[in-house]
Amino acid sequence: MLEFLWCRARGWVEATARDLDDFEHWRRFAETNPERIGGSKWDRELAAFMGLYGWAVKDGHLRRNPILMKQVMGRNGEVLTVAAAKAKDTRPSNVHWLTPRTWRRWIDVGLRGHTRGGVPEPGWVGRLEDRNVAFVRSLTSSGLRLMEGGSLLTFEVPQRQLGGGRYCRGKVAAEVTRSKKERTFYVASDAVGDIESYVASSRAWVVRRAQRSGRYDRLPEMRLVTEVTRGMRPKVRWCDQAGVMGERELNLLTWQERTLLFTEGAHGPEPLWLWLNERGLPFHPDSWEGVFRTANKRCERVLAPENRVGLDPHRVHAPYATPHSARHSFALYMLVVLNHLMDQRYGLSPEERRDFRLLYGDPWFMVQTLLGHASRDTTVRHYLAPVADLQLRSLLGSADDVTQAPMPELDSLFARIARESEGIQDIDARLEPAAGGAA
């Protein structure tokens, strides 16, 4: 926008409503623009302009906001004021799913270096492979957002119980959530086992190497934690390099403050930040985007036929994943599994099923709770609405299609859902994408 105005010999404070209209036309519709954008991206840019010019008017830098506004009726009958230039073709959500077996394939090829034949590639050297696998499996089995899972401290990782159990229970601190509210999360016990293996192997190795080189001693700031209190509002107490004591409620620590927390180990200070890079320093949450990009490129190189590399918009041969698609996939998985448990495992009649759901809540409500959404409508609208037409109760009621194996082995059911829905990637070990299912 600033460059566009500069070409018109205008400063940002001289922008008019006509300038915004012309800029939208160039960004979205002009045939001479080779990098046109869609409605969703335009709305994000428009929101940034509204923030800038709203601040300028409020602080007296401008007398009038160049962004025209209009009033519309909200879903609940309330009157809302929105930008008149808001796109009409915006997608309500960017839902992106992979079935469980497709995630397994993506992890094996993209992170573990497997070939099309399912064995490690000769000479494969995975950089912190166990870390990457543990992180991805923790996201796909918990529904945590990238910031939530990427900023965990070592003592926040749930502990596996001696008696077993499929899931472990943990807490997400309020400050790293989108809603700024603490919530409970559940993660598969085998994913916790992967984290424990990572902590005991490559993480311990990079920490020891950093200690030997004195890297932690040279950090400009470090907070050596002396205590984490218990109770309803746990506090973290520390001593900094100048000997000054400090404390802060665990829920209020930002992700940047979390990177400063250390504990005294057997060989010196150790980071409390769970995910570390090869230098033994905190691996920042946004850095995971690079791990996913690298894995996607490897999956395309290994799995896509030569004549389709770089020309496969629907990813029908090679799975494509993002950190947030792990959350989408978790939501789909839990919806199917919870319906399966209610409708088949307990052998409930329609009347008993209704009573059961009145008492415990339906799967939509349960998934809403797991995802930390403020309302059931948010869950349905942004994550699960695109599969509402699958008539899951009828689908799950077909005994021929549902294996009696434990929940992680419901591959045949997910394969059928992928065939009957748009936007779900399902690629088995034989590289045969479900017809119409991959996206």
Side-chain angles (χ1 to χ4, degrees), residues 45-259:
E45 292 186 0
L46 183 60
F49 301 151
M50 290 173 62
L52 170 64
Y53 285 108
W55 162 81
V57 171
K58 182 179 179 181
D59 275 29
H61 301 288
L62 287 176
R63 294 180 57 187
R64 185 175 181 180
N65 193 330
I67 300 177
L68 300 180
M69 308 297 288
K70 66 179 181 179
Q71 290 186 329
V72 298
M73 189 72 70
R75 290 198 313 273
N76 299 319
E78 72 277 20
V79 177
L80 304 175
T81 301
V82 300
K86 190 175 177 64
K88 297 179 176 60
D89 58 345
T90 304
R91 287 191 298 176
S93 62
N94 185 22
V95 181
H96 185 66
W97 290 307
L98 285 76
T99 60
R101 68 176 177 182
T102 305
W103 272 112
R104 294 194 293 269
R105 188 69 170 162
W106 186 87
I107 289 172
D108 285 344
V109 175
L111 300 180
R112 289 185 168 135
H114 286 195
T115 64
R116 295 170 66 94
V119 297
E121 188 177 72
W124 166 258
V125 179
R127 296 175 56 190
L128 294 175
E129 174 186 319
D130 57 345
R131 180 201 67 181
N132 298 340
V133 171
F135 178 76
V136 172
R137 296 200 67 209
S138 69
L139 289 193
T140 57
S141 71
S142 68
L144 290 175
R145 293 183 175 90
L146 176 61
M147 179 59 70
E148 296 167 348
S151 60
L152 286 175
L153 302 175
T154 54
F155 59 78
E156 292 177 313
V157 177
Q159 299 293 308
R160 287 190 294 174
Q161 303 297 319
L162 293 177
R166 190 176 299 276
Y167 284 89
C168 302
R169 178 178 178 272
K171 286 281 189 182
V172 183
E175 185 58 34
V176 298
T177 67
R178 180 174 294 177
S179 64
K180 304 305 178 186
K181 294 181 180 178
E182 177 190 42
R183 82 169 193 273
T184 298
F185 72 94
Y186 295 86
V187 58
S189 58
D190 56 351
V192 174
D194 289 338
I195 294 175
E196 292 174 348
S197 297
Y198 156 64
V199 169
S201 54
S202 66
R203 187 184 188 278
W205 183 77
V206 297
V207 166
R208 188 71 187 101
R209 189 172 64 170
Q211 289 171 332
R212 286 172 177 163
S213 68
R215 183 167 294 127
Y216 299 143
D217 299 328
R218 297 191 298 270
L219 291 176
E221 187 175 1
M222 177 195 296
R223 296 174 178 178
L224 198 61
V225 174
T226 58
E227 181 185 12
V228 179
T229 66
R230 303 180 65 179
M232 294 294 292
R233 294 183 177 180
K235 291 184 178 181
V236 178
R237 293 174 177 157
W238 66 78
C239 178
D240 67 16
Q241 292 150 306
V244 178
M245 307 297 292
E247 71 174 30
R248 189 167 178 80
E249 188 176 326
L250 178 61
N251 264 330
L252 302 181
L253 288 170
T254 65
W255 75 265
Q256 293 91 340
E257 291 175 317
R258 287 167 164 255
T259 64

Side-chain angles (χ1 to χ4, degrees), residues 75 92-93 145 178 327 364 368 371-385:
R75 290 198 313 273
S93 62
R145 293 183 175 90
R178 180 174 294 177
R327 180 170 165 85
W364 299 88
Q368 169 204 334
L371 293 175
H373 284 162
S375 71
R376 182 180 182 276
D377 288 345
T378 301
T379 307
V380 174
R381 184 172 69 255
H382 291 292
Y383 288 87
L384 306 180

Side-chain angles (χ1 to χ4, degrees), residues 384-399:
L384 306 180
V387 294
D389 61 341
L390 292 178
Q391 299 179 339
L392 282 170
R393 273 192 286 183
S394 172
L395 181 65
L396 290 167
S398 174

